[in-house]
Amino acid sequence: MELDDITISRAITESFMKDFMDAMEVEVAVVGAGPAGMTAAYYLAKNDIKTVIFERQLRVGGGMPGGGMMFNRIVVQEEGKKLLDEFNVATREYSKGYYIADSLEATSTICSKAIKAGAKIFNLISVEDVMIREEDRITGLVLNWSATSLAGLHVDPLTIRSKMVIDATGHASEVCHIVVEKIGARLRTDAGNVAGEKPMWAAVGESRLVENTREVYPGLIVAGMAANAVFGDPRMGPIFGGMLLSGKRAAELAADILSKD
Ligand code: 48F
């Protein structure tokens, strides 16, 4: 068979557009394909909840592939190991209660599981705003190609509708910041705004993460490092159990809220 270049181009364009159009009405839109966002998407999709992730970067994984200071290993504790076991990511006990995993295996496996469960991941797309309706409830996202802002081009965005949004943007907690800046300090935190993360303290940071994974504004759940940043708790560095557990918790919360709709 002689390959036709144009058929290749048509195949890519048509299948991408079909999926992108389908992603314009979803139940849950996750911002950020780091460990928390991809874990949330996996559990949601596994539960037959229509889920999409938008990721700014070319590659997925957020801070996970880089491990600790570019040593591509991650550490998880007992509870995190259980999730890595569920994903079938190999772990090795380093000392009692501390498990090591290959950060690339963890990233690629969780990504693959999320996609195979039915979640769609769109990379190279940045979320630049949220969409609101009556009473300022968040009802979707405003998207643009990451390349437009990199190039400094003035191009208007497009929108998607979603019943719930998960802010899994890591340290930056970008969606929560957008809500505070554009709607006012009405997050469900003490001061109504993003408190800002505290310096490194793995034990406290990890222990606070699942509790901080909450619906912080109608239609908006915060997960992963963003949750500690929003509630003013410490960062925790290259221990990743909390990120996975927070992603799972965000999925459970979203499913619960959707079931009451
Ligand atoms: O930073 P990231 O990995 O967040 P996470 O899942 O995990 C945090 C850890 O990696 C690490 C840590 C462990 O102790 O603290 O930092 O909470 O992944 C966040 C992803 O969100 C993307 C960003 O490129 C990254 O891949 N992202 C951030 N803002 C946007 C975005 C945005 N506005 N639109 C789309 N993607």
Side-chain angles (χ1 to χ4, degrees):
M1 182 187 92
E2 194 181 330
L3 285 174
D4 177 41
D5 304 75
I6 305 309
T7 304
I8 296 168
S9 300
R10 280 209 175 102
I12 288 172
T13 310
E14 241 179 75
S15 87
F16 181 87
M17 282 310 163
K18 185 173 167 295
D19 283 350
F20 191 55
M21 296 275 283
D22 193 49
M24 284 181 183
E25 303 257 5
V26 294
E27 289 177 281
V28 183
V30 181
V31 188
M38 292 197 298
T39 304
Y42 165 73
Y43 284 106
L44 286 161
K46 198 169 155 235
N47 201 6
D48 287 331
I49 293 174
K50 190 174 176 187
T51 304
V52 65
I53 306 185
F54 296 102
E55 167 54 51
R56 170 179 289 152
Q57 299 289 331
L58 174 59
R59 59 142 184 88
V60 297
M64 196 181 238
M69 213 177 110
M70 292 203 257
F71 300 161
N72 61 1
R73 300 289 182 275
I74 56 167
V75 171
V76 292
Q77 59 283 62
E78 205 67 58
E79 302 82 351
K81 179 194 179 300
K82 285 187 195 135
L83 287 199
L84 288 185
D85 287 347
E86 209 181 315
F87 284 124
N88 205 16
V89 172
T91 54
R92 179 175 61 78
E93 193 168 30
Y94 175 74
S95 62
K96 195 167 167 26
Y98 294 80
Y99 297 87
I100 291 273
D102 182 307
S103 70
L104 298 179
E105 184 190 349
T107 302
S108 55
T109 306
I110 298 170
C111 177
S112 166
K113 293 266 182 190
I115 292 172
K116 284 187 192 300
K120 288 279 184 295
I121 304 182
F122 292 91
N123 55 340
L124 293 164
I125 291 181
S126 292
V127 170
E128 61 169 56
D129 202 351
V130 293
M131 186 165 75
I132 52 165
R133 285 296 177 268
E134 286 72 22
E135 289 160 16
D136 291 343
R137 189 193 159 87
I138 291 174
T139 53
L141 296 173
V142 179
L143 314 173
N144 217 329
W145 295 113
S146 304
T148 56
S149 59
L150 281 172
L153 302 175
H154 184 169
V155 179
D156 265 315
L158 292 174
T159 43
I160 64 120
R161 192 180 349 262
S162 70
K163 291 182 181 161
M164 293 297 302
V165 167
I166 297 178
D167 181 348
T169 60
H171 295 271
S173 48
E174 289 198 20
V175 184
C176 291
H177 272 292
I178 290 167
V179 169
V180 170
E181 278 153 30
K182 293 202 157 185
I183 305 179
R186 284 164 48 192
L187 295 183
R188 293 168 183 157
T189 61
D190 286 346
N193 56 16
V194 175
E197 74 186 37
K198 287 217 179 105
M200 186 95 98
W201 188 356
V204 175
E206 283 287 282
S207 71
R208 302 286 304 145
L209 203 44
V210 172
E211 197 186 318
N212 288 341
T213 305
R214 292 190 225 163
E215 190 184 25
V216 281
Y217 186 83
L220 175 64
I221 291 169
V222 66
M225 188 58 224
N228 274 15
V230 164
F231 284 99
D233 277 310
R235 64 184 306 193
M236 68 297 287
I239 179 149
F240 278 79
M243 296 302 149
L244 308 175
L245 293 162
S246 169
K248 187 174 184 189
R249 175 76 189 129
E252 288 164 357
L253 272 177
D256 190 45
I257 294 165
L258 287 171
S259 73
K260 289 176 187 146
D261 257 6

